[in-house]
Amino acid sequence: MQNPIIVALDVQSAESALALAKQLAPVVGAFKIGSELFTSAGPDIVKAIRATGASVFLDLKFHDIPNTVAKAVAAATRLDVQMITIHTSGGAAMMRAAEESAKKTAKEIGLKTPLILGVTVLTSMDSNELSEIGVAPNVGHQVERLAELAVQAGLRGLVCSPLEIADLREIIPAQMQLVTPGIRTGNEKADDQKRTLTPAEAMKAGANWLVIGRPIYAAKDPRQAAESILASISPPK
Ligand code: C5P
């Protein structure tokens, strides 16, 4: 089994991110660098984390005209990241441009093609907000519609809420990778994540990767927290 734990490095400084990455690299599958850390620490933090040998998920959720997204994906691919997010609501041409750019750039420099992950409806949005932006007010339908478009456009993975996994698995090809945040073990303090599953429940529902932030980095002993999550999803020996 690949190690499915992706730790969200939602910390402010490059120093804290790197310290966490060094401590956790042996027991997790990858690290997620989001807009805050990337905007403050830049490509250097990606290179520093890659230098520890760990895989990197660059979560910048690109959404722009196809040409611009293709160039941003090429730049991310040259940083040797393993996963990149784009918004599926950018449309099929944008998604295809991202996927083609990742393949072409990786081939040119002799690296493995990063997995381009489509984000469907942000989990912070409800039906009222969809209606406000002119989209039919049904979150589930919109998620399915965008997921189907992503499949047609050739994407190989999606980010989804843990509660969407089961429904999505019924309509997408089996090889499609599903990456899910909103994971809670039940041991941590209550926070802003409301609709959550445990790591084992999410894996059972069909997730390939679990994005986990606070339950690991805010734990008293992050390494021990990661080890116990890994044990909870590992097949019995
Ligand atoms: O700390 P926590 O485990 O809630 O971190 C989850 C990570 O996944 C954060 O980086 C958050 O921004 C991200 N995320 C999320 N829900 C989404 C998409 C991304 O929690 N729908």
Side-chain angles (χ1 to χ4, degrees), residues 8 10 32 123 181 184 193 211-215:
D10 294 332
K32 180 169 92 73
T123 49
R184 289 296 176 266
Q193 294 281 16
V211 174
I212 309 178
R214 288 161 288 182

Side-chain angles (χ1 to χ4, degrees), residues 146-160:
L146 289 171
E148 280 168 347
L149 191 64
V151 172
Q152 283 163 25
L155 290 199
R156 292 162 292 136
L158 294 168
V159 179
C160 68

Side-chain angles (χ1 to χ4, degrees), residues 6-10 32-35 57 59 61 119 121-124 159-162 164 179-184 188 191-193 196 211-218:
I6 302 175
V7 180
L9 292 175
D10 294 332
K32 180 169 92 73
I33 296 178
S35 314
F57 170 7
D59 184 21
K61 299 186 178 67
V119 174
V121 179
L122 292 171
T123 49
S124 56
V159 179
C160 68
S161 135
E164 291 162 0
V179 178
T180 179
I183 300 297
R184 289 296 176 266
E188 53 282 294
D191 55 39
D192 58 355
Q193 294 281 16
T196 63
V211 174
I212 309 178
R214 288 161 288 182
I216 292 180
Y217 72 72

Side-chain angles (χ1 to χ4, degrees), residues 75-153:
T77 304
R78 284 194 288 270
L79 282 176
D80 189 18
V81 301
Q82 283 60 52
M83 295 178 179
I84 300 168
T85 40
I86 63 172
H87 271 286
T88 54
S89 51
M94 192 202 85
M95 290 190 268
R96 267 195 297 275
E99 187 66 35
E100 279 164 17
S101 172
K103 288 195 177 113
K104 182 168 167 275
T105 311
K107 197 168 172 205
E108 276 165 14
I109 53 182
L111 292 174
K112 195 164 172 258
T113 307
L115 181 64
I116 307 292
L117 296 165
V119 174
T120 58
V121 179
L122 292 171
T123 49
S124 56
M125 292 192 85
D126 59 16
S127 50
N128 288 334
E129 283 179 295
L130 283 185
S131 182
E132 275 173 3
I133 59 165
V135 173
N138 185 320
V139 175
H141 284 174
Q142 184 64 6
V143 168
E144 288 186 11
R145 183 180 180 144
L146 289 171
E148 280 168 347
L149 191 64
V151 172
Q152 283 163 25

